[in-house]
Amino acid sequence: AEISGWSTEIAPEAINCAAPDTGNMETLHLFATEEQRARWLQPLLAGEIRSAFSMTEPAVASSDARNIQTRIVRDGDHYVINGHKWWTSGANDPRCTILIVMGRTNPEAASHQQQSMVLVPADTPGVHIKRSTGVFGWQDQHGHAEIVYDDVRVPVSNLLGEEGAGFAIAQARLGPGRIHHCMRAIGVAERALALMTDRVSNRIAFGKPLAEQGMVQHAIALSRNEIDQARLLCEKAAWTIDQHGNRAAHGLVSQIKAVAPQMACNVIDRAIQTHGAAGVCDDTPLARMYGWQRAMRIFDGPDEVHLRTIARTEIGRDKGALA
């Protein structure tokens, strides 16, 4: 269907911002051995296979990666993996060939050095995909897998980086990944605003187009301001990563991760209001768009974690200028 040139259909990848391959390719580029890159990264770059990142667990608060309980135990020349994961985005895709699994290799080490990451081929015996978890009732692409790892054995050569480096690898992976999510959130908000302006230009209420109603104009103006503010913050965070690396951009990444999904939710919510009943049903993409952006306030770190990071960064700034 078309609304004045705008299709009401929306590609799933424009809503589901999981896009696990982007972060996984960056992880392999940064931390994999040459042999691992040849086996997994090159086919990923060529689009021949897909991948999934298996970190989050249902039994613990995985926003603190130190809580992860999956065990990775060395047995001679192999690691044996036992654990329960979910929200492993992309694992249900029949093209998914490789899983990056995070688990605990040394429970006695310092808290940030207990975790490691291991490459697990998806067809390894003991990898049991149980189901796909929906997002507000929607199934995104191939979904987000719940997986049980039951005595999964892989060669020690499948270790990514070094033992105990899992937490550091996760942080390196999640920074740019969060930027990617925020870029797409800004794009989704732009789409919602375009649908909103089209709707109010063509919908008559109380004797005149909605576009002439002051409250509607206010909603449109707020949406434009919020989108552009988020875009500039996202560009600043991305520029800082390019120029100075992930560590220097840590606070900025938390800022945009807290700002972008909330902004997108605000804009989409206004668009839903202007569409009335059409905004909450499947005749427009708005309900599905809202559901995913609302979920984005949880995945890759909930708002509260990022707000804590922002506050700590601000409190820790040099206060010499105030003297």
Side-chain angles (χ1 to χ4, degrees):
E2 299 285 333
I3 300 179
S4 299
W6 286 92
S7 171
T8 59
E9 296 182 359
I10 187 165
E13 60 270 20
I15 301 168
N16 170 13
C17 302
D21 288 317
T22 303
N24 293 342
M25 287 188 286
E26 186 158 14
T27 300
L28 291 169
H29 169 68
L30 292 173
F31 300 103
T33 65
E34 288 300 323
E35 181 181 353
Q36 291 169 346
R37 291 190 191 116
R39 184 177 179 186
W40 306 116
L41 179 58
Q42 292 304 320
L44 277 171
L45 291 170
E48 298 168 357
I49 63 172
R50 298 297 297 269
S51 63
F53 185 63
S54 203
M55 174 179 169
T56 305
E57 298 181 359
V60 297
S62 301
S63 56
D64 181 353
R66 295 170 299 179
N67 288 334
I68 288 173
Q69 297 299 304
T70 293
R71 290 300 312 274
I72 302 175
V73 178
R74 183 159 183 170
D75 181 22
D77 293 333
H78 289 80
Y79 286 116
V80 180
I81 305 169
N82 284 280
H84 185 187
K85 302 286 190 178
W86 67 344
W87 298 99
T88 301
S89 302
N92 293 297
D93 190 324
R95 299 166 295 175
C96 182
T97 306
I98 187 66
L99 305 164
I100 300 177
V101 181
M102 184 168 177
R104 183 167 293 183
T105 47
N106 185 0
E108 307 304 319
S111 60
H112 288 84
Q113 298 175 339
Q114 296 180 6
Q115 309 287 345
S116 301
M117 290 193 187
V118 175
L119 297 169
V120 178
D123 60 358
T124 304
V127 176
H128 302 296
I129 297 178
K130 295 298 185 180
R131 63 171 177 145
S132 172
T133 49
V135 179
F136 285 93
W138 292 96
Q139 284 293 329
D140 286 303
Q141 299 182 58
H142 298 280
H144 311 283
E146 181 174 355
I147 305 178
V148 171
Y149 296 91
D150 184 11
D151 285 337
V152 174
R153 297 180 67 89
V154 296
V156 169
S157 59
N158 283 25
L159 178 69
L160 194 60
E162 300 176 351
E163 279 199 12
F167 190 90
I169 294 173
Q171 293 305 306
R173 178 191 188 277
L174 290 172
R178 288 163 178 153
I179 291 285
H180 299 154
H181 285 312
C182 294
M183 290 175 177
R184 287 186 287 267
I186 291 166
V188 169
E190 286 282 12
R191 176 71 186 281
L193 179 56
L195 289 170
M196 175 164 49
T197 55
D198 183 89
R199 174 76 169 188
V200 302
S201 298
N202 295 284
R203 195 73 166 180
I204 305 298
F206 305 104
K208 59 183 178 181
L210 288 176
E212 296 181 18
Q213 305 284 353
M215 292 185 67
V216 173
Q217 293 177 352
H218 184 253
I220 291 172
L222 278 180
S223 298
R224 170 48 60 204
N225 285 348
E226 290 173 4
I227 291 171
D228 286 354
Q229 288 167 352
R231 177 179 288 109
L232 288 170
L233 181 57
C234 191
E235 290 176 351
K236 181 179 181 181
W239 180 88
T240 303
I241 288 177
D242 284 343
Q243 298 297 315
H244 305 291
N246 292 341
R247 183 178 295 274
H250 183 62
L252 286 166
V253 170
S254 282
Q255 283 184 262
I256 191 57
K257 180 56 173 64
V259 165
Q262 182 63 73
M263 174 278 296
C265 285
N266 292 344
V267 174
I268 297 166
D269 186 70
R270 294 176 194 130
I272 289 172
Q273 284 297 109
T274 61
H275 281 74
V280 297
C281 71
D282 297 345
D283 288 357
T284 70
L286 292 168
R288 189 176 184 188
M289 290 164 67
Y290 182 87
W292 185 256
Q293 297 306 314
R294 180 60 183 85
M296 186 176 160
R297 292 183 56 199
I298 296 173
F299 64 70
D300 272 17
D303 287 357
E304 292 78 7
V305 171
H306 292 293
L307 291 171
R308 182 185 68 168
T309 296
I310 297 164
R312 287 178 170 180
T313 300
E314 193 66 23
I315 293 168
R317 288 187 190 279
D318 182 8
K319 302 301 182 183
L322 299 178

